[in-house]
Amino acid sequence: MAYWRWGDAGARRVVVCVHGLTRQGRDFDRLAQALLAQSPEPLQIICPDVAGRGRSEWLSEPTLYQIPQYAGDMLAMLAQIQLQLGADKPLQTLDWVGTSMGGLIGMVLAGQPSLPLPCPIRRLVLNDVGPAITWSSVQRMQVYVGQYGQYRDLDEAAAALWELSQGFGPVLPEVWREMSLHMTRAAADGQLTLHYDPAIGVPVRALTAEAAASGEAMLWALYDQIQAQTLLIRGQDSDLLTPETAAQMTQRGPLAKLDTWPGCGHAPTLTGDDQIAVLTHFLLGD
């Protein structure tokens, strides 16, 4: 699994930023730069490409493209980061920013105190995701995940991606083009295609409403064990995280602080100056 590191590799304060289902770690470039610019202490920001996305290798068994595999990969990555620091320099703080799927991974890690993390997750940002995910949003993902083609150039790819990403809310054109650059790779014929394994859609399409309901019960149990200070971001027009689920998340478990963002659906990109300001205040504040 590849990951992108911003900041001081010797810093004992770590922020991990994990992307959504079909995205990759470069989605957090602007947030990482802002955190480094504003942090009063040495900081490193780690932005992994989850298996099958970006620079990470593709799995030979498509059914492994699921949250337990991803959580195990993150544990291995964090163990490696601690090893690089050395036994005499334990991590001081570990914070987690998770968009959609990245938030689910964060809940799995933060909700199991017995896991061998270098240190407990201190602050947790859940970007438009919770234990309960609407079945209609799952059905939408079953249609589009892994169904992509080839594009003549970056502009065509960016336009095609935007058609699938209206829920992200307002994004400056130049920022979207830059994000789309990292979402593409060269195909065999010289055209561009998307930078993830189409097989990540196999487990998504195999999901049933019954299995989703069972997973929801397990995620609520994990959520109720989270001790990290938690910020829940909800796109006001989100079709994945309902207002009812968001409200419930403020009343149980870590008693998340809810911030609802108008003009966004699923899921905000965390690239706008106003969005970044919310996260830097939460992550770097006392």
Side-chain angles (χ1 to χ4, degrees), residues 34-35 38-40 43 122-123 279-286:
L35 287 169
Q38 298 179 41
S39 176
L43 184 69
R122 182 189 65 145
R123 293 183 182 172
L279 269 69
T280 54
H281 177 76
F282 176 72
L283 295 169
L284 301 179
D286 295 332

Side-chain angles (χ1 to χ4, degrees), residues 51-272:
R53 289 85 164 171
R55 300 293 181 88
S56 291
E57 293 182 349
W58 295 6
L59 301 179
S60 58
E61 177 47 66
T63 58
L64 293 177
Y65 284 127
Q66 299 195 60
I67 300 296
Q69 174 71 43
Y70 305 150
D73 290 345
M74 297 301 164
L75 284 174
M77 180 190 73
L78 289 167
Q80 182 185 66
I81 290 167
Q82 179 59 77
L83 187 64
Q84 292 169 355
L85 287 172
D88 59 335
K89 293 179 63 179
L91 284 189
Q92 290 180 337
T93 61
L94 174 60
D95 298 329
W96 191 279
V97 178
T99 293
S100 194
M101 179 188 75
L104 295 177
I105 299 169
M107 281 192 284
V108 168
L109 297 182
Q112 299 184 75
S114 61
L115 289 178
L117 289 164
C119 68
I121 294 176
R122 182 189 65 145
R123 293 183 182 172
L124 173 65
V125 177
L126 300 176
N127 183 14
D128 207 66
V129 71
I133 295 172
T134 63
W135 180 242
S136 60
S137 68
V138 173
Q139 291 176 307
R140 175 174 56 83
M141 287 185 275
Q142 289 177 326
V143 171
Y144 81 81
V145 175
Q147 307 298 319
Y148 63 76
Q150 296 186 349
Y151 314 101
R152 291 189 302 271
D153 54 29
L154 181 58
D155 290 331
E156 184 177 74
L161 283 167
W162 186 246
E163 284 297 313
L164 295 172
S165 309
Q166 297 291 314
F168 287 4
V171 184
L172 292 173
E174 61 270 23
V175 174
W176 184 252
R177 194 176 194 277
E178 181 180 325
M179 294 174 70
S180 299
L181 172 65
H182 302 303
M183 279 292 297
T184 57
R185 60 184 172 85
D189 60 1
Q191 291 192 319
L192 295 179
T193 191
L194 297 189
H195 215 332
Y196 70 84
D197 182 358
I200 68 171
V202 171
V204 177
R205 286 188 289 275
L207 190 64
T208 64
E210 293 75 20
S214 175
E216 177 182 326
M218 182 168 50
L219 282 170
W220 274 120
L222 291 170
Y223 183 79
D224 286 338
Q225 297 186 84
I226 292 174
Q227 299 179 16
Q229 185 178 347
T230 301
L231 171 64
L232 174 62
I233 295 166
R234 180 177 183 272
Q236 190 172 53
D237 303 321
S238 176
D239 69 338
L240 184 140
L241 178 63
T242 66
E244 293 75 20
T245 295
Q248 195 173 359
M249 292 171 71
T250 68
Q251 298 165 9
R252 58 188 286 186
L255 306 178
K257 177 193 173 191
L258 174 62
D259 202 345
T260 300
W261 292 358
C264 296
H266 182 76
T269 60
L270 311 181
T271 59

Side-chain angles (χ1 to χ4, degrees), residues 30-48:
R30 291 171 65 85
L31 175 60
Q33 292 168 33
L35 287 169
L36 287 178
Q38 298 179 41
S39 176
E41 300 180 80
L43 184 69
Q44 55 174 316
I45 298 104
I46 304 296
C47 306

